[in-house]
Amino acid sequence: MSSNPSTGDDTATVHPGSKGVEELLALLAYGELSAFERTATDAQFAPTIADKVVLAKVAATEFSHFELLSVRLAARGVDANAAMERFVKPLQTFHQRTQPRDWHESLMKAYVSDGIVKDFYREISASLDEPTRRLVHEVLSDTEHSGFVIDRLRSAIASDERLGGRLALWGRRLVGEALSQAQGVFQESAGGVTALLASNDSPQPVLLQISAMLNRITEAHSRRMAALDLMA
Amino acid sequence: MSSNPSTGDDTATVHPGSKGVEELLALLAYGELSAFERTATDAQFAPTIADKVVLAKVAATEFSHFELLSVRLAARGVDANAAMERFVKPLQTFHQRTQPRDWHESLMKAYVSDGIVKDFYREISASLDEPTRRLVHEVLSDTEHSGFVIDRLRSAIASDERLGGRLALWGRRLVGEALSQAQGVFQESAGGVTALLASNDSPQPVLLQISAMLNRITEAHSRRMAALDLMA
């Protein structure tokens, strides 16, 4: 009945950063499952059947990404459902606090959150082993969604100044909630994701490195808002 | 610039019931798209991540069925988005009037509506050409969903008598709304679906044939409710 530290050590030697990678895969898996739910639910706001079909297709793709991540976790002996549990609360809180009230708010939410998730991936990708990096890249690579969302938002904002003002406020709220729940994710991650993000080569303490990263993500968000002619 | 009635006649000769088949495919396509939206949205009520994943998978399958139907319509030169338009109102009205308030109501809605849709298909399948019959059968064939739904409902009803009473009432409301919106579908179908349902061999007028069919569907619904130990 004694613990077997040597087994743990072996595993750690064979898969360096293994625990962090598994936490990251579980975080992305739950992120894709939530994104699926969000996109499919937002399809109800679509002004035309054609728009609804585009969103439904995006949602189905997000679910297939979830399945890829879930299979990879299973191949590593990890039960995806159990591993995702710790990330339910911060992601659910984010979605509950940022429920879009109409079609444009839902497009804006997709635009802002996809951007932040991709920035986060760019920050973390250097720490990943090659197969994980390829998987994550596949899962986060652009769908036809981005172009669709930007087109729809640009033309709506160009033709309605008040909508632009409202969406600028909404964008600020979205990024604020996202960064606040990102802190929740770091707290829940039991150190794994944090370890991936923090570089041992840096003289800075981990918390300062993370805070600098969140700052870079906020700057990138401002550039994305400017690309829509909105003040961040 | 004159119209060419002979082309229309030729088409009618080459594809008997062609218009009815196209309306049926469009109806099923919009049905699958709505089912996708309903299932994905109801996943928010799932009590566990495992339940959520099952529902999300069902929703993704429903979307792939929509795509099959949409491709078949395109192959017949029909734009699915335009062809579905006429069925938006009755299906949307049905979903708006039967929004589940919790997990069990959402399971019950899936159970009741899947049953009715399959009954409807059985009624219509004799009028279909072989490729259409095969496609419709594939789209409506059982997913793992049915077993999952029945298991969850049976054990919940067995352990909570008041829930059983509430779900019996809910089932009655669901079938009532479904039959009422089915009338809307017949009205919107411009005669195509109705023509598939009504047999020329029958001495009965079309309206009486349809009313007899709705009666058979109601009886089948009562048997499904009895299978859950509920009064219809």
Side-chain angles (χ1 to χ4, degrees):
Chain A
M1 296 294 279
S2 69
S3 70
N4 187 345
S6 75
T7 308
D9 286 346
D10 282 357
T11 313
T13 317
V14 177
H15 303 292
S18 165
K19 192 178 151 223
V21 167
E22 281 156 15
E23 280 189 2
L24 175 70
L25 294 175
L27 170 62
L28 290 175
Y30 195 68
E32 291 289 328
L33 190 62
S34 312
F36 158 83
E37 220 176 321
R38 174 201 78 194
T39 312
T41 307
D42 289 356
Q44 73 187 301
F45 294 125
T48 69
I49 291 190
D51 286 327
K52 197 189 275 287
V53 171
V54 172
L55 280 201
K57 197 179 174 63
V58 170
T61 307
E62 287 163 340
F63 183 71
S64 73
H65 290 160
F66 159 76
E67 284 188 313
L68 281 177
L69 291 158
S70 176
V71 165
R72 177 68 60 92
L73 281 165
R76 297 176 75 118
V78 177
D79 174 48
N81 293 353
M84 292 190 299
E85 199 75 61
R86 62 170 81 233
F87 300 116
V88 169
K89 200 169 148 247
L91 285 167
Q92 214 165 47
T93 306
F94 172 71
H95 288 300
Q96 274 163 0
R97 291 199 185 154
T98 56
Q99 289 189 9
R101 285 165 309 170
D102 61 24
W103 173 239
H104 292 109
E105 287 192 3
S106 100
L107 291 181
M108 193 68 177
K109 182 171 170 180
Y111 178 67
V112 169
S113 5
D114 287 359
I116 292 176
V117 169
K118 276 170 198 152
D119 286 341
F120 172 73
Y121 162 64
R122 264 188 289 273
E123 294 280 345
I124 217 165
S125 72
S127 316
L128 300 178
D129 57 279
E130 190 47 35
T132 304
R133 192 184 297 136
R134 251 182 287 132
L135 173 65
V136 173
H137 183 77
E138 181 179 349
V139 163
L140 296 184
S141 66
D142 265 334
T143 54
E144 54 187 304
H145 196 203
S146 312
F148 170 84
V149 166
I150 293 174
D151 282 357
R152 291 290 191 286
L153 283 174
R154 274 221 186 101
S155 65
I157 290 167
S159 66
D160 181 348
E161 200 176 318
R162 278 183 51 213
L163 178 68
R166 180 155 67 83
L167 290 180
L169 279 175
W170 175 239
R172 253 167 269 166
R173 179 146 149 234
L174 286 166
V175 75
E177 284 295 342
L179 295 181
S180 147
Q181 296 312 316
Q183 304 282 5
V185 165
F186 296 132
Q187 276 161 32
E188 297 294 336
S189 86
V193 172
T194 317
L196 283 179
L197 278 169
S199 159
N200 291 326
D201 304 337
S202 166
Q204 282 194 314
V206 171
L207 277 182
L208 272 185
Q209 290 186 48
I210 288 184
S211 143
M213 179 194 77
L214 295 180
N215 195 45
R216 286 190 295 275
I217 288 182
T218 309
E219 284 166 3
H221 167 78
S222 304
R223 285 192 297 274
R224 276 190 294 273
M225 296 295 274
L228 292 178
D229 269 329
L230 298 179
M231 291 274 287
Chain B
M1 298 292 279
S2 68
S3 70
N4 187 346
S6 75
T7 309
D9 286 345
D10 282 356
T11 313
T13 317
V14 177
H15 304 291
S18 164
K19 191 177 152 227
V21 167
E22 281 156 15
E23 279 188 3
L24 176 70
L25 295 176
L27 171 61
L28 290 175
Y30 194 69
E32 291 289 329
L33 190 61
S34 312
F36 158 82
E37 220 175 321
R38 176 202 76 196
T39 311
T41 307
D42 289 356
Q44 72 188 300
F45 295 124
T48 68
I49 290 190
D51 287 327
K52 195 188 277 285
V53 170
V54 173
L55 280 201
K57 197 179 175 63
V58 170
T61 307
E62 287 162 341
F63 184 71
S64 73
H65 290 160
F66 159 77
E67 284 188 313
L68 281 176
L69 292 157
S70 176
V71 164
R72 177 67 60 93
L73 282 164
R76 297 175 75 117
V78 177
D79 174 48
N81 293 353
M84 292 190 298
E85 200 74 61
R86 62 170 81 235
F87 300 116
V88 170
K89 200 168 148 249
L91 285 168
Q92 214 165 47
T93 307
F94 172 71
H95 287 301
Q96 273 162 1
R97 290 198 186 154
T98 56
Q99 288 189 9
R101 285 166 308 170
D102 61 24
W103 173 239
H104 292 109
E105 287 192 4
S106 100
L107 291 180
M108 193 68 177
K109 182 170 173 183
Y111 178 67
V112 169
S113 2
D114 286 359
I116 292 175
V117 169
K118 276 170 197 154
D119 287 342
F120 171 75
Y121 162 64
R122 264 187 289 273
E123 294 280 345
I124 217 165
S125 73
S127 316
L128 300 178
D129 57 277
E130 189 47 34
T132 305
R133 192 184 299 132
R134 250 182 289 130
L135 174 64
V136 173
H137 183 77
E138 180 178 351
V139 162
L140 296 183
S141 66
D142 265 334
T143 55
E144 55 187 302
H145 196 202
S146 312
F148 170 83
V149 166
I150 293 173
D151 282 357
R152 289 291 191 285
L153 282 174
R154 274 222 185 100
S155 65
I157 291 165
S159 65
D160 181 348
E161 201 176 317
R162 279 184 51 214
L163 178 68
R166 181 155 69 83
L167 290 181
L169 279 174
W170 175 238
R172 253 168 268 167
R173 178 144 153 238
L174 286 167
V175 76
E177 285 294 341
L179 296 181
S180 147
Q181 295 313 317
Q183 303 281 4
V185 165
F186 296 133
Q187 278 161 33
E188 297 294 336
S189 86
V193 172
T194 316
L196 283 179
L197 278 170
S199 159
N200 291 326
D201 305 336
S202 167
Q204 282 193 314
V206 171
L207 277 183
L208 272 185
Q209 289 186 48
I210 287 184
S211 142
M213 179 195 76
L214 294 180
N215 195 44
R216 287 191 295 276
I217 287 181
T218 309
E219 284 167 3
H221 167 77
S222 303
R223 285 193 296 275
R224 276 191 295 274
M225 295 295 274
L228 291 179
D229 269 331
L230 298 179
M231 293 274 286

